[in-house]
Amino acid sequence: MRRVLCAVMAHETNTFSKDLTTLDTFKRRDFYLGNQIAEVRRGTRSNFGGSFEAADKFGWQLVHPIIANANPSGTVTDEAFEYICGQILDAVDQAGGVDAALLHLHGAMVVDSYPDAEGELLRRLRAKVGPKVPIAVTLDLHGNITPLMAENANALIAFKTYPHIDQYERAWQGAEILERAMNGEIEPRVVLARRRMLTGLDMGRTQGGPMKELVEEGTALEEKGEQLSVSVFAGFPHADIADVGPSVAIAYDARKPGAEAAARATAERFMDRCWETRDYAALTFLTPEQAAKKAKAEEQGAKAPLVIADYTDNPGGGGYGDTTALLKAMVDADLQNAAFHAICDPAAIAEGMKAGVGSTITLTFGGKWDPTKGGGPLTLSGKVRVLTDGEVWAYGPMGGGVRREYGPSMVFRVGGIDIVFITNNGQAVDLAQYTAMGIEPTRKTTLAVKSMHHFRAAFQPISREVVVVDSGSLCSENFKTFTFKNVPRPIWPLDEVTDPTGR
């Protein structure tokens, strides 16, 4: 029976965040070891759910040491990285070697000592297993893909959707490539193309525009058998590292004459298109005040909620999740029948728990990490309506039956607004994040969420309209307001670029 290593090491690192990512940060999100993994992931539409099914079909023994997936935040400590890497690499020795590896990484993880964390993990794994063991990696399409990753993997497979609802399918794609490689049918290798770009492809939105066009063309090449995988990465621009920005990674069959040249030509052509469309943007941003004014004007007779997304305090992009500018605008507008998800503030929750459900109290909360970005602390009086342990079972398009832990949580009602407070930071991606707190989102007139785009999978179908807000927080797309020290210069849009290839 073939032994296949499978593990999750996932973190999207916003290097501008003051919130360092420790091993405890990973343990507060998705963190499972050994036999725990089958208990929580079998039967789910997750990357590990697909991996277990593929192992059953192909008769593999899946070696699964760890799932370590932290909410996006600041730079990862060396201690956390070494622990996770150690679990993965030690599992190879404990299994007596492996025949292949199917890893589920992010692609934009930055560690104190390793700006290219995934590349370093793959380098170490390759050194351990040798050159002939195939390694396939599934990655977030917001990964900053590096030459070191491409050199040490046989396939780098990006999600094809944003919101990311195809992690299960990409796991199957990686598994099928590995099975064919182990059977001697193919010899997968990777080519990588990049440009002098910090951002592009409309931040990876796959509903239209150049990202959708390239993903569809790449999928067609896969279906025709011309390439093993075609992965389009929008990159993660809130990372001040050398290998930042969009890229295209193509896995080709090295056994085919001319395959490498063809793959490289396609990758370069795709990146030319990325460069040509660099100014394309699908969104129009409102200020918090404009969004609140619109919500108030439309309250009477509304048949479905207006969804307001606080785009720039997105916990899914490393936002602190505690900025208050949008909430203050909603309170000032005296919105009724509204709900807000969420403020990450454990201290406020502790005060609510001390007072108890039904109590009317005054809380000072939010804006604690950086009051200059997205609004400082608010002091408001309201009623403690709900207190929970924060366990949520997500069953929406991005949920796949996975349990999520947000820690002690609270609903605090101020006027006509139900405000959700959470302990473990996380963006709103599933309706269960409201219903678990006793709030029925479909019956609200206005719903506010802290999220860039993932919220759309669950919330857009129930909305009458979606608007997005720039509150001036940590995930703003006004990149010239950030101080970049490590990105290669010149780079667009920070500089004028005459040669986008950087040659």
Side-chain angles (χ1 to χ4, degrees):
M1 179 180 286
R2 287 166 170 160
R3 293 184 296 270
V4 177
L5 175 69
C6 188
V8 171
M9 183 186 79
H11 187 254
E12 186 175 73
T13 306
N14 188 320
T15 61
F16 298 100
S17 170
K18 301 175 184 178
D19 185 10
L20 289 181
T21 305
T22 66
L23 187 58
D24 284 340
T25 309
F26 281 92
K27 290 181 177 179
R28 288 197 298 268
R29 174 74 178 268
D30 293 325
F31 187 87
Y32 302 99
L33 299 174
N35 292 333
Q36 295 176 322
I37 295 172
E39 296 175 9
V40 298
R41 289 295 186 265
R42 270 198 177 274
T44 64
R45 283 189 57 81
S46 63
N47 47 27
F48 242 112
S51 302
F52 277 120
E53 291 180 18
D56 292 342
K57 176 181 177 180
F58 297 134
W60 299 345
Q61 176 189 343
L62 211 61
V63 178
H64 46 81
I66 191 169
I67 289 177
N69 178 18
N71 192 71
S73 45
T75 301
V76 179
T77 63
D78 285 344
E79 177 191 19
F81 177 70
E82 294 298 342
Y83 178 87
I84 298 166
C85 276
Q87 291 291 314
I88 295 171
L89 299 174
D90 289 349
V92 177
D93 295 330
Q94 292 164 9
V98 295
D99 299 288
L102 177 58
L103 300 182
H104 306 301
L105 311 179
H106 183 282
M109 181 172 175
V110 179
V111 177
D112 282 331
S113 296
Y114 302 104
D116 176 11
E118 288 89 351
E120 176 61 17
L121 169 63
L122 291 171
R123 185 194 67 77
R124 295 183 188 185
L125 179 60
R126 178 60 72 197
K128 180 173 287 289
V129 301
K132 295 184 179 180
V133 171
I135 300 172
V137 185
T138 69
L139 294 151
D140 194 302
L141 62 78
H142 293 109
N144 293 319
I145 309 306
T146 71
L148 189 61
M149 294 184 211
E151 178 185 343
N152 289 286
N154 298 90
L156 298 173
I157 303 168
F159 302 155
K160 295 180 182 292
T161 59
Y162 181 34
H164 307 323
I165 58 174
D166 65 327
Q167 298 181 41
Y168 171 88
E169 287 81 3
R170 300 290 72 77
W172 265 104
Q173 184 178 6
E176 288 166 349
I177 289 174
L178 289 180
E179 178 69 6
R180 293 180 65 194
M182 285 187 287
N183 289 339
E185 300 171 23
I186 56 174
E187 293 181 11
R189 298 287 186 274
V190 176
V191 297
L192 179 67
R194 305 175 53 85
R195 292 292 182 271
R196 286 271 185 170
M197 303 174 68
L198 182 68
T199 184
L201 296 171
D202 195 27
M203 293 292 288
R205 298 179 187 94
T206 54
Q207 287 68 44
M211 186 69 180
K212 182 174 187 290
E213 295 168 6
L214 291 178
V215 168
E216 288 180 347
E217 184 175 350
T219 301
L221 292 173
E222 294 172 351
E223 292 174 347
K224 293 175 184 176
E226 294 185 23
Q227 305 295 346
L228 299 177
S229 71
V230 180
S231 294
V232 183
F233 295 92
F236 183 64
H238 294 93
D240 185 17
I241 60 173
D243 292 304
V244 68
S247 62
V248 173
I250 295 180
Y252 64 95
D253 182 3
R255 292 174 45 160
K256 291 184 178 180
E260 179 179 2
R264 192 170 301 281
T266 299
E268 295 293 344
R269 178 169 59 82
F270 274 36
M271 283 309 300
D272 284 343
R273 178 62 175 160
C274 177
W275 175 256
E276 292 163 1
T277 60
R278 61 192 179 278
D279 288 318
Y280 179 88
L283 295 183
T284 299
F285 292 95
L286 303 183
T287 66
E289 293 74 21
Q290 288 171 331
K293 181 178 179 181
K294 174 180 174 64
K296 187 65 179 179
E298 297 175 1
E299 279 185 342
Q300 297 301 317
K303 303 298 184 184
L306 171 70
V307 174
I308 305 174
D310 189 351
Y311 185 101
T312 59
D313 189 32
N314 170 33
Y320 297 126
D322 78 337
T323 67
T324 58
L326 175 57
L327 178 59
K328 182 179 185 301
M330 293 171 65
V331 171
D332 290 347
D334 191 29
L335 295 189
Q336 300 298 307
N337 193 32
F340 185 100
H341 192 290
I343 296 289
C344 181
D345 193 329
I349 297 167
E351 289 189 48
M353 287 187 165
K354 182 178 179 180
V357 172
S359 300
T360 298
I361 60 175
T362 299
L363 290 177
T364 298
F365 60 86
K368 296 176 180 177
W369 277 106
D370 187 350
T372 67
K373 288 191 176 295
L378 287 181
T379 300
L380 297 173
S381 296
K383 182 177 181 180
V384 179
R385 291 195 59 245
V386 177
L387 294 167
T388 79
D389 63 2
E391 181 180 86
V392 172
W393 287 90
Y395 286 99
M398 285 193 65
V402 170
R403 182 182 69 190
R404 295 182 177 141
E405 301 283 353
Y406 293 95
S409 301
M410 172 177 69
V411 177
F412 186 59
R413 176 171 287 176
V414 176
I417 307 172
D418 284 331
I419 308 165
V420 177
F421 286 74
I422 56 177
T423 296
N424 299 335
N425 200 15
Q427 66 177 310
V429 297
D430 199 285
L431 300 184
Q433 289 169 266
Y434 272 124
T435 58
M437 301 300 297
I439 299 170
E440 177 46 61
T442 60
R443 295 184 178 274
K444 290 296 184 181
T445 303
T446 304
L447 289 173
V449 295
K450 285 184 180 287
S451 177
M452 279 184 176
H453 198 68
H454 283 317
F455 73 92
R456 292 180 185 269
F459 287 89
Q460 189 157 324
I462 70 164
S463 72
R464 69 177 187 269
E465 186 181 354
V466 170
V467 296
V468 292
V469 164
D470 185 342
S471 60
S473 304
L474 204 59
C475 298
S476 172
E477 291 184 19
N478 185 1
F479 297 110
K480 292 186 178 181
T481 64
F482 297 90
T483 302
F484 287 91
K485 298 178 181 179
N486 300 310
V487 301
R489 308 300 287 263
I491 192 169
W492 184 89
L494 303 181
D495 311 299
E496 291 293 328
V497 177
T498 56
D499 181 7
T501 64
R503 298 189 181 101

